[in-house]
Each structure stands twice: as C-alpha cells, then as structure tokens.
C-alpha cells in the first residue's frame, strides 16, 4: 500500500463488512446466551478496531484468535462457532471462513506413526477457516502416558503458534474438564486469548427455543400443548442426562412422531395443512418424563440420543 | 538444460504466491492436489514418488503449500511437481501438472544413435548430470 488512509469510519466499516449482519443474525437466531453475545460483540469490536488500525498503518500484530468455548451439552457451542467463523471471515481474519468440526477420533491415530499424518490432514482441511475441536480434553489422557493424544496436542500447539494467520482453533467442552485440561497443558492456556462460557438455558428460554424450532419446521402447538411443553422442560431438567436445547429438540421430534402416529391411527378422510401441523397436548403428555420420570437405564438411552 | 515437462514450464519459475493462486484455481474446480518429487526427470520416467497422498476436501491453498514446504525441505534438490486430479469422470485423472521446484543444476538429456541392421538408426535418450 503506497498511500495510507488518514481516517477511518468505524461505523461505516461495521456496516459494510457485514459484521452487523452476523451480529444481528446471532441476536435473532440464538435465544438467551446474553453473556456469550456480549463477549462476541466485544471480540468483534476489538477485531474491527484492529483492522482499522491496520488500514491506518499503525503497528499491529495479528491478534491471537484461538478460543475456548465451555459449557454444558446443548448450549449452542457448535452453532456459535459456526457464526464465529462467518464473523472472522467478514472481518478478514480468516480467508475462507469454513468450519471443520472434529473430535479426538479425527485427530488421534490407532498406532505409532498414524497420529501425525491424521492430525496434519485435518489441519490442512481447516486452513483458511476455523477448526472446532469438540470435547478437546479427550486429547489428553493422563492415565496413559503412551497415549497418542499427546502427539496430536504437540502438532496442534505448533500450528496454532506458527499459522496464526491461517486458521483459528476453537476448543469446546464441559467447563470443569476443560479446566483440568488447560492445567495439564499450559501451552494451550497461553495460546488461547478468548475464553467464552456458555450458561445453561432457563426454562423460559428453552420454551422460546421450542417455539422457534416449531416455527422453523412449520409446526404449531395448541395452548394446552404449549403449557405441557413448559411443564415438560421443568420435569426434564430434574432428570439425569439433561442436555439443554438438544433434549428439547429430541422431545419435539418425539412429539412429532406421536402426532404422526395419532393422525395415522385416528384420521378418516382428507387432512388439511392445519391438522398436519398442529401438536396437541396429548402428543406432549404421552412422554415418559411425565409418568414419574425415567429409570436410570432408559435415562441413559435418552442421554445418548 | 531446462526441463520443460508439464504446464507453465516455458515460463519463468512460479513464485509461491503464483503457485498458491494456481492451487486456488484447482480447489475452486474441486480438484484434489498431490505433491510428487523425482530425481530422474527422463521424459519416459512416468513414475515420480508421491509426497504423501493427494489432498482432498481442502478449502485453502495453504494446506498444499505446507506440504510443498515440507517436501522442499527434504528434497530441495529434486524436481517437485503438483498434480491436480479431476474426478468428474469417476476416476481421479490428472488434469493439471506443473513443476514447482527444480534442482540448482538441472541435468541434461543426451541422445545417442545406434546403427542396427545395416544402416538403420535407433535413437535413445539418457540423463547426464
């Protein structure tokens, strides 16, 4: 660049880069998660200012963008990571903005000499985008000192340091286990600038999520069914293997199943769109959650779904 | 003697940025890119050594450039080429191939004539360093 701009309009930059679009989308599509949204706004502001500083020729280093997302299952970590990838792309911090989502299995090999090529292949695929490592703490198994996870960790750390311009790594998992993981691998802690904690959803937020999901799939619940869903959420939370929005999605899917069954068994003659898209109270109430909860075995199966 | 196998070989050597741009072109066409190297550039030598497997599902040329950098580190004095594979015909057929690294001193090719069966002439070529 031969001539540098002398002023920069942050507001215009904010509009033109499409950052505003992503943030609005985040606000609209994600229910609750206030602290997460606040953190992402802060991060976006920081990156926008960094970018502005760069256009003015002020000395700058590429900021460390690696992040860790901690929170219980079903709190929207993957979805937010996807939005984050879009955000970083618009701000020009990653070139392609795709998300490569992996777990331990994709990085760690089965035998000696298998891990490095496997990890490298994943990293090559993630170049120019965001690498999302779900349940990252499984990479480190302190009980087995010959575990190949350590090898994957070393390659990751090296790439995170040397290829900061090329990819952003997001580690995700349960808060307490991530803490143990970071304590055992101080290299990770120091290379990750942004720690974002995902809170559990409240009952009201989960109900809003249910309605959002239903609207998305062109379903409608009667008032009774809605009340039943509200009660369902309260009861389900108290039972084991509760996975926030994911549990709710499963409940909704099973209600659809029962609705289809009901229509099939009871319907005589033609059905209109109204009948096909209405969930009634009975569809929700039939859930085992209402009949005194699940015994531990079925609860386990529930958790796996 | 300058080796002129593959695409772009009559042009000056490509810079890394130009190589990246070519790889990006391949990726945009959904071609897989593989790195190969060879110390014996005889035109009839079609068996080059593979530097790892061809890379599928890449989005960004950086992945290939990293492999190329690794290959140059080990085989800096070899010919290195990138092959792009097109699978639209249900086989991974090489559709673009260009040299990205040359030895400092390139070997020459010498032609020998041999008289056989009276005045008939046979030609053969060999690499001379």
């Amino acid at each position: 660049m031969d001539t540098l701009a002398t002023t920069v309009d942050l507001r215009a930059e904010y509009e033109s880069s499409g950052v505003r679009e992503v943030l609005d989308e985040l606000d609209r599509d994600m229910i609750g998660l206030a602290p997460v949204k606040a953190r992402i706004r802060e991060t976006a502001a920081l990156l926008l200012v960094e970018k502005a500083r760069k256009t003015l020729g002020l000395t700058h280093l590429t900021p460390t963008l690696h992040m860790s997302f901690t929170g219980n299952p079903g709190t929207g970590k993957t979805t937010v990571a996807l939005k984050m990838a879009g955000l970083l792309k618009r701000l020009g911090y990653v070139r392609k903005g795709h998300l490569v989502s992996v777990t331990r299995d994709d990085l760690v090999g089965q035998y000696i000499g298998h891990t490095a090529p496997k990890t490298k292949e994943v990293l090559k695929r993630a170049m120019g985008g965001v690498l999302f490592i779900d349940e990252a703490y499984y990479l480190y198994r302190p009980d087995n000192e010959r575990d190949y996870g350590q090898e994957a960790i070393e390659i990751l750390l090296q790439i995170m340091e040397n290829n900061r311009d090329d990819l952003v790594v997001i580690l995700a998992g349960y808060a307490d286990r991530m803490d143990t993981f970071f304590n055992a691998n101080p290299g990770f802690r120091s290379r990750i600038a942004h720690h974002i904690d995902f809170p559990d959803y409240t009952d009201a937020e989960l109900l809003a999520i249910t309605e959002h999901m239903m609207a998305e799939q062109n379903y409608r619940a009667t008032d009774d069914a809605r009340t039943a869903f509200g009660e369902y959420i309260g009861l389900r939370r108290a039972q084991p293997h509760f996975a926030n929005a994911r549990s709710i999605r499963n409940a909704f899917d099973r209600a659809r199943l029962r609705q289809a069954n009901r229509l099939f068994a009871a319907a005589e003659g033609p059905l209109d769109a109204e009948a096909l898209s209405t969930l009634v109270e009975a569809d929700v109430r039939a859930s085992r959650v209402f009949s005194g909860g699940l015994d531990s075995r079925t609860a386990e199966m529930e958790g796996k779904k | 003697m300058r080796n002129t196998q593959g695409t772009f070989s009559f042009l000056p050597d490509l810079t890394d940025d130009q190589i990246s741009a070519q790889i990006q072109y391949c990726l945009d066409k959904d071609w897989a890119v593989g790195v190969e190297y060879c110390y014996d550039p005889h035109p009839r030598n079609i068996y080059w050594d593979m530097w790892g497997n061809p890379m599928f599902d890449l989005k960004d040329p950086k992945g290939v450039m990293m492999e190329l950098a690794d290959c140059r580190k080990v085989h800096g004095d070899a010919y290195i080429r990138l092959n792009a594979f097109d699978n639209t015909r249900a086989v991974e057929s090489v559709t673009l191939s260009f040299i990205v690294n040359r030895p400092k001193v390139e070997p020459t090719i010498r032609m020998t004539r041999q008289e056989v069966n009276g005045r008939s002439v046979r030609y053969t070529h060999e690499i001379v360093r």
Side-chain angles (χ1 to χ4, degrees):
Chain A
M1 203 188 299
D2 44 349
T3 50
L4 289 169
T6 47
T7 58
V8 84
D9 185 353
L10 276 184
R11 188 54 52 182
E13 185 71 21
Y14 177 64
E15 299 281 349
S16 69
S17 59
V19 172
R20 180 205 175 87
E21 224 170 280
V22 178
L23 292 178
D24 285 352
E25 196 181 290
L26 190 72
D27 266 344
R28 199 174 53 243
D29 292 354
M30 306 294 290
I31 289 155
L33 297 178
V36 176
K37 287 175 184 170
R39 276 305 302 271
I40 290 178
R41 269 178 195 286
E42 282 168 22
T43 314
L46 169 77
L47 296 182
L48 207 58
V49 170
E50 280 294 320
K51 200 180 159 199
R53 284 169 58 90
K54 193 178 171 186
T55 36
L56 291 190
L58 296 171
T59 50
H60 80 294
L61 288 168
T62 308
T64 308
L65 289 168
H66 305 308
M67 303 175 205
S68 96
F69 287 0
T70 51
N72 288 327
T75 44
K77 296 186 290 286
T78 313
T79 317
V80 170
L82 207 58
K83 304 249 188 250
M84 190 54 103
L87 189 71
L88 292 172
K89 161 85 168 68
R90 279 168 211 223
L91 284 165
Y93 284 94
V94 292
R95 289 186 297 269
K96 296 291 178 302
H98 59 292
L99 184 82
V100 176
S101 179
V102 297
T103 54
R104 178 188 156 96
D105 287 356
D106 301 298
L107 296 170
V108 179
Q110 313 271 314
Y111 43 83
I112 290 178
H114 189 206
T115 304
K118 221 174 159 184
T119 307
K120 278 201 184 124
E121 194 177 320
V122 167
L123 286 166
K124 279 186 275 178
R125 272 198 286 134
M127 280 293 156
V130 173
L131 178 65
F132 182 80
I133 305 177
D134 207 3
E135 307 199 78
Y137 34 75
Y138 284 131
L139 286 178
Y140 173 69
R141 294 239 168 104
D143 45 320
N144 181 359
E145 63 183 27
R146 289 194 300 178
D147 184 61
Y148 301 138
Q150 195 60 43
E151 202 181 335
I153 289 177
E154 275 154 26
I155 296 170
L156 266 176
L157 285 176
Q158 193 195 338
I159 296 276
M160 280 165 80
E161 192 60 39
N162 297 343
N163 295 64
R164 271 189 293 172
D165 299 339
D166 298 313
L167 93 165
V168 169
V169 177
I170 297 180
L171 304 174
Y174 301 101
D176 48 342
R177 302 183 65 175
M178 284 304 269
D179 269 344
T180 334
F181 176 68
F182 284 131
N183 285 335
N185 299 279
F188 267 117
R189 190 188 282 289
S190 60
R191 279 173 183 81
I192 287 177
H194 307 272
H195 293 262
I196 300 181
D197 198 40
F198 286 64
D200 281 352
Y201 290 109
T202 64
D203 289 1
E205 283 163 0
L206 283 175
L207 194 59
I209 289 170
T210 317
E211 279 169 17
H212 190 79
M213 257 188 266
M214 285 200 260
E216 233 170 33
Q217 306 198 30
N218 280 321
Y219 274 92
R220 214 176 62 66
T222 61
D223 289 343
D224 292 342
R226 193 162 295 142
T227 327
F229 253 119
E231 283 172 39
Y232 177 93
I233 292 164
L235 288 169
R236 184 65 188 85
R237 185 187 291 280
Q239 289 166 10
H241 302 290
F242 176 64
N244 285 288
R246 198 171 299 141
S247 290
I248 300 307
R249 190 181 63 208
N250 292 341
F252 170 52
D253 284 346
R254 283 191 298 272
R256 280 170 55 194
L257 192 79
R258 285 185 215 107
Q259 184 236 22
N261 224 351
R262 169 173 61 83
L263 290 176
F264 195 71
E268 285 164 9
L271 292 165
D272 56 357
E274 172 77 11
L276 286 175
S277 58
T278 309
L279 294 177
V280 300
E281 189 181 359
D283 297 333
V284 184
R285 292 266 176 211
S287 167
R288 281 168 303 181
V289 171
F290 287 104
S291 53
L294 317 150
D295 62 58
S296 59
R297 207 182 71 79
T298 45
E300 208 165 88
M301 290 168 62
E302 195 91 341
K304 275 187 193 147
K305 270 183 196 161
Chain B
M1 197 172 80
R2 186 176 172 84
N3 183 330
T4 51
Q5 297 176 27
T7 320
F8 314 130
S9 56
F10 287 95
L11 298 176
D13 286 342
L14 301 182
T15 64
D16 276 7
D17 283 344
Q18 289 168 332
I19 296 170
S20 280
Q22 292 298 343
I23 299 169
Q24 185 60 57
Y25 175 83
C26 298
L27 298 181
D28 289 344
K29 298 227 169 224
D30 280 336
W31 296 342
V33 180
V35 181
E36 294 184 355
Y37 65 92
C38 157
Y39 288 94
D40 176 18
H42 191 284
R44 291 296 173 99
N45 175 20
I46 54 168
Y47 299 112
W48 287 43
D49 292 293
M50 293 168 82
W51 178 261
N53 294 328
M55 286 160 269
F56 299 92
D57 306 322
L58 295 195
K59 292 274 190 299
D60 192 86
K62 184 71 191 180
V64 179
M65 294 307 284
M66 279 165 68
E67 284 300 333
L68 177 57
D70 285 353
C71 185
R72 276 180 176 154
K73 217 181 282 172
V74 182
H75 301 289
D77 213 34
Y79 285 98
I80 303 177
R81 72 178 174 193
L82 298 183
N83 289 344
F85 300 92
D86 184 0
N87 66 359
T88 40
R89 288 172 196 274
V91 286
E92 296 287 352
S93 49
V94 174
T95 190
L96 171 67
S97 172
F98 58 101
I99 292 177
V100 290
N101 192 70
R102 294 165 184 279
K104 276 183 254 349
V105 181
E106 295 197 50
T108 53
I109 294 175
R110 182 169 63 199
M111 184 189 73
T112 31
R113 290 187 189 84
Q114 185 185 22
E115 275 186 320
V116 289
N117 303 340
R119 300 301 304 274
S120 294
V121 177
R122 273 182 181 163
Y123 298 95
T124 188
H125 299 87
E126 60 184 343
I127 294 288
V128 184
R129 289 189 193 271

